[in-house]
Amino acid sequence: MIEARHLRVLRAVATTGSFSAAARELGCTQPAVSQQMKALETSAGTPLLIRTGREMRLTQAGEALVRHASGILAGLTAAEEEVAAIAGLRAGRVRLVSFPSGSSTLVPGALAALRAAHPGTQVSLVEAEPPRSVEMLRDGDCDIALAFRYGTAIGEWDDLVVRPLLRDRLIGLVPEGHRLAGTDAVGIGELADEPWIAGCPRCRRQLVEVCESSGFTPRIDFATDDYPAVIGLVGAGLGVAVLPGLALESVRPKGARTVTVEPAVEREIVALTLPDLARVPAVAATLDQLSLAAAR
C-alpha cells in the first residue's frame, strides 16, 4: 500500500530536485528520504525516479503519482481534521495564505474572533499574491487562500469553494498640493498627463487597461509592489497612483490625498478552499469569521 508519508517525501523530492534538499525541507536526514523513496517504489512496483549523475527526474509513473499526491494529501488532512472534531477533541489547524493588504485588514479581526470562539484552533499565516496563493491551495500547501481578481475568468476557480467577501474599489491618490486634491470625483482621463506610480503587477495591468479605454497610456515613472512606498512617492509629489481601498485602510497617506476615480474599478475579494476542506469544522469557522470581518 502507498503511504501518505511516502507521498509527502515524493512531492518534496519532485519539488526540490534532490534527496538532500527534500530532507532539509522535511526536517529529516537524506538517508531517511532515500529509504522512504525505496519503500514507495516497492509499493508502486515500478521506478519513480531516474538518477543520472547529480540530476534526478521523475519517470512517467512518478509524474502520475505526484500529480495525484496533492489531492490525496488534502483529502487525508480533511479526513483527519473532521474525525478529530467528531471525536470531540474541539481542536483544529488551519493554514491561511493571504495577500498583504488582506493580512493587515481582514485577517487580524477574523483570527482574533476565531481565537475567542475556538481557543483550541491553531491558525498559521503566510503571505502570497494570487495566482501563487491559489496554486498553494491546489498543491495542498494551505487550507484557505485569501485572493482577489479583476473581472471574472470563466472556469478560473470552478474546482474550488469560493466564499465572496467584498468588492474593493480602486482609489486615486494625488499629492496634497495637486490641482485635483479635494475634488469629489476625478475622471481618469484628467490624469492622462501625470507621471504614474504603479502598484502590484495585477493592479498595474488593470490600471493600463482602464487608462487605455479612456484614450491614453499611463506614463509609469516608478513601479513598486510596496503600498507604503507608493504612498510615500505620491506624498513627495512624484506622481499619482490608484490603490485598492484595503491597502489604504492600514496606511496613513501622509502628504497625499485620496480622490474617487471614475469609471469605478473594483476587485473581488474572496476566500478559497478545496471542497473536502470546506467540510472541516476549523476551516468552516475561519471562513465564517473572514466573512464577518469583511462585513464590518
Side-chain angles (χ1 to χ4, degrees):
M1 292 180 63
I2 295 176
E3 298 183 29
R5 61 194 178 100
H6 294 158
L7 289 178
R8 290 189 177 93
V9 171
L10 175 64
R11 192 175 67 175
V13 171
T15 301
T16 62
S18 71
F19 282 5
S20 57
R24 288 193 296 271
E25 180 175 300
L26 297 170
C28 61
T29 64
Q30 182 175 337
V33 170
S34 178
Q35 184 179 17
Q36 292 194 51
M37 283 304 308
K38 288 179 181 178
L40 179 57
E41 288 182 326
T42 299
S43 298
T46 186
L48 303 174
L49 295 167
I50 298 175
R51 304 162 187 82
T52 54
R54 295 184 178 181
E55 294 185 355
M56 187 175 299
R57 61 184 178 86
L58 294 169
T59 64
Q60 185 177 0
E63 291 175 348
L65 201 52
V66 168
R67 195 164 57 247
H68 289 285
S70 296
I72 292 170
L73 294 174
L76 284 173
T77 299
E80 290 168 356
E81 295 285 357
E82 192 166 355
V83 168
I86 292 171
L89 295 180
R90 304 302 179 202
R93 175 180 61 90
V94 179
R95 299 166 298 165
L96 174 64
V97 59
S98 172
F99 54 93
S101 58
S103 298
S104 61
T105 54
L106 298 176
V107 170
L111 296 193
L114 181 69
R115 178 174 291 181
H118 307 284
T121 299
Q122 299 178 352
V123 181
S124 62
L125 171 67
V126 296
E127 288 190 340
E129 297 271 0
R132 175 58 188 146
S133 56
V134 183
E135 292 172 1
M136 292 174 65
L137 176 63
R138 289 191 173 113
D139 288 344
D141 294 327
C142 70
D143 304 310
I144 297 174
L146 203 61
F148 62 85
R149 64 181 173 185
Y150 294 92
T152 302
I154 297 175
E156 182 182 20
W157 294 335
D158 283 355
D159 59 323
L160 305 175
V161 174
V162 181
R163 176 75 69 92
L165 298 180
L166 57 88
R167 306 289 300 185
D168 187 24
R169 180 169 177 160
L170 294 186
I171 297 173
L173 206 60
V174 299
E176 280 186 346
H178 193 274
R179 58 187 172 83
L180 296 174
T183 305
D184 289 337
V186 174
I188 200 163
E190 297 180 67
L191 301 171
D193 296 327
E194 302 286 343
W196 284 82
I197 297 149
C200 74
R202 300 189 84 195
C203 298
R204 187 181 315 159
R205 183 173 67 248
Q206 192 69 22
L207 165 68
V208 172
E209 290 176 359
V210 171
C211 291
E212 289 179 345
S213 68
S214 296
F216 73 99
T217 299
R219 190 190 91 209
I220 298 174
D221 284 3
F222 302 96
T224 174
D225 294 341
D226 185 72
Y227 289 145
V230 173
I231 293 170
L233 290 166
V234 172
L238 295 172
V240 300
V242 290
L243 289 179
L246 285 182
L248 290 169
E249 282 186 25
S250 58
V251 182
R252 181 167 172 257
K254 185 178 179 181
R257 298 285 295 275
T258 59
V259 294
T260 300
V261 174
E262 300 289 352
V265 179
E266 294 180 329
R267 60 178 184 172
E268 180 187 12
I269 309 296
V270 301
L272 304 171
T273 191
L274 296 170
D276 283 341
L277 291 173
R279 297 194 296 270
V280 176
V283 172
T286 304
L287 290 172
D288 289 342
Q289 292 300 338
L290 286 168
S291 294
L292 290 173
R296 293 188 186 106

